[in-house]
């Protein structure tokens, strides 16, 4: 049952994920957090954080890890196959049999029409993350400050996201154990 | 021997290809076209164009197709494995560790501190998609499709599968 859900969830992600890896992020969020509730949004955020700190496509890392978390090694292989195989088979078939397929105007129209839809999905998920961050212990002021700081670092100073995330990772984990006051605050975070 | 070459050809982009697809394409091209000469530059761009017309990450599609064309089914498996496995193993071990200490205040603090960065990364991706849509189909179509899909997905809670499917049909018929 779980393996079947895993396959269906990531099959949908694989088939609908137009525009490459990033477009699968909101799709995976909808399946894993909203629909099957295999994990909450916080954990999904951690997966994204670590996924962005590591090389290679984000979609396969999400599929592989979440498949592993939900259904062990079999789940991992299951989710990976579901995400990748359909589109690879399609690619092999179209490139060998129907080589002229991609020059058809309607193919181009198809791929282009999906781009704004993915932009909306990504935008909504971005706003969710910002709202969640504002409501969390960080609070709106610090959320605003860190949003601007990250934007400047990433987009204008071209700091690599992996470096920024790793610095935060080390900073958050290494800082000596939280002082009592933080302990109290930590407990007070509204879920 | 060919399988070892396929593995290397996609292992290197898999490890160095930070930031997903766009980062790994030049690395793949360097292996497939320059080093192993499996295809010419135009053939490579044809495969790339096809890849971009299909869903899913570009790196795995390239690995699957080029692996297949060089080494059959096994070649495809080796190519995809080389692209996916290294960072996935790293991911599972690191996240496994993180999850073990999930309730510790430190990990909670990490989640909270890293969330704005993720929001910015996704915000930038959103901007990239909006801009590429603007370049691809112009302002009016972008606003039209974007607006309608927002209402459908967020206000009427229609599952993205249907919205994407109808956008595909719309694109095939109207945007020709």
């Amino acid at each position: 049952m779980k393996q079947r859900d895993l396959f269906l969830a990531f099959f949908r992600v694989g088939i609908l994920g137009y525009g490459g890896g990033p477009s699968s992020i909101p799709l995976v969020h909808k399946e894993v957090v909203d629909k099957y509730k295999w994990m909450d949004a916080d954990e999904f955020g951690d997966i994204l954080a670590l996924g962005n700190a590591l090389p290679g496509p984000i979609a396969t890392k999400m599929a592989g890890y979440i498949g592993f978390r939900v259904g062990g090694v079999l789940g991992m292989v299951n989710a990976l196959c579901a995400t990748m195989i359909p589109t690879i088979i399609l690619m092999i078939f179209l490139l060998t049999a129907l080589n002229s397929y991609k020059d058809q105007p309607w193919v181009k129209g198809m791929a282009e029409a999906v781009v704004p839809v993915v932009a909306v999905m990504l935008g909504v998920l971005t706003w969710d993350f910002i709202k969640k961050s504002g409501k969390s212990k960080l609070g709106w002021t610090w959320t605003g400050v860190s949003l601007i700081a990250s934007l400047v670092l990433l987009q204008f100073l071209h700091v690599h996201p992996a470096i920024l995330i790793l610095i935060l990772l080390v900073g958050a984990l290494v800082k000596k154990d939280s002082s009592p006051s933080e302990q109290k605050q930590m407990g007070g975070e509204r879920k | 021997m060919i399988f070892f070459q396929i593995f290397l050809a996609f292992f290197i982009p898999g490890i160095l290809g930070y930031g997903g697809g766009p980062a790994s394409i030049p690395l793949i091209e360097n292996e497939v076209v320059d080093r192993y000469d499996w295809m010419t530059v135009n053939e490579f761009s044809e495969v790339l164009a096809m890849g971009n017309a299909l869903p899913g990450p570009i790196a795995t599609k390239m690995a699957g197709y080029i692996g297949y064309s060089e080494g059959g089914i096994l070649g495809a498996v080796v190519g995809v494995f080389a692209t996916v496995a290294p960072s996935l193993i790293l991911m599972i071990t690191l996240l496994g560790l993180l999850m073990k200490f999930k309730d510790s205040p430190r990990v909670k603090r990490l989640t909270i501190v890293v969330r704005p960065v993720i929001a910015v990364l996704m915000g930038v991706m959103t901007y990239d998609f909006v801009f590429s849509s603007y370049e691809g189909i112009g302002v009016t179509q972008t606003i039209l499709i974007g607006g309608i899909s927002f209402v459908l997905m967020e206000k009427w809670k229609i599952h993205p599968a249907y919205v994407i499917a109808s956008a595909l049909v719309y694109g095939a018929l109207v945007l020709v």
Side-chain angles (χ1 to χ4, degrees), chain A residues 24-40:
Chain A
S24 58
I25 295 172
L27 289 166
V28 171
H29 186 274
K30 189 157 280 293
E31 302 286 343
V32 166
V33 177
D34 300 347
K35 184 175 167 72
Y36 291 107
K37 301 200 178 2
W38 283 325
M39 59 184 63
D40 61 25

Side-chain angles (χ1 to χ4, degrees), chain B residues 125-148:
Chain B
M125 281 181 211
T126 309
Y127 172 76
D128 291 345
F129 270 81
V130 170
F131 189 70
S132 90
S133 171
Y134 162 72
E135 271 185 339
I137 49 178
V139 177
T140 34
Q141 290 290 354
T142 303
I143 296 171
L144 186 72
I145 302 174
I148 292 172

Side-chain angles (χ1 to χ4, degrees), chain A residues 6 57 72 131 144 167 176:
Chain A
L6 261 177
K131 253 190 313 186
I167 290 171
K176 64 169 180 33

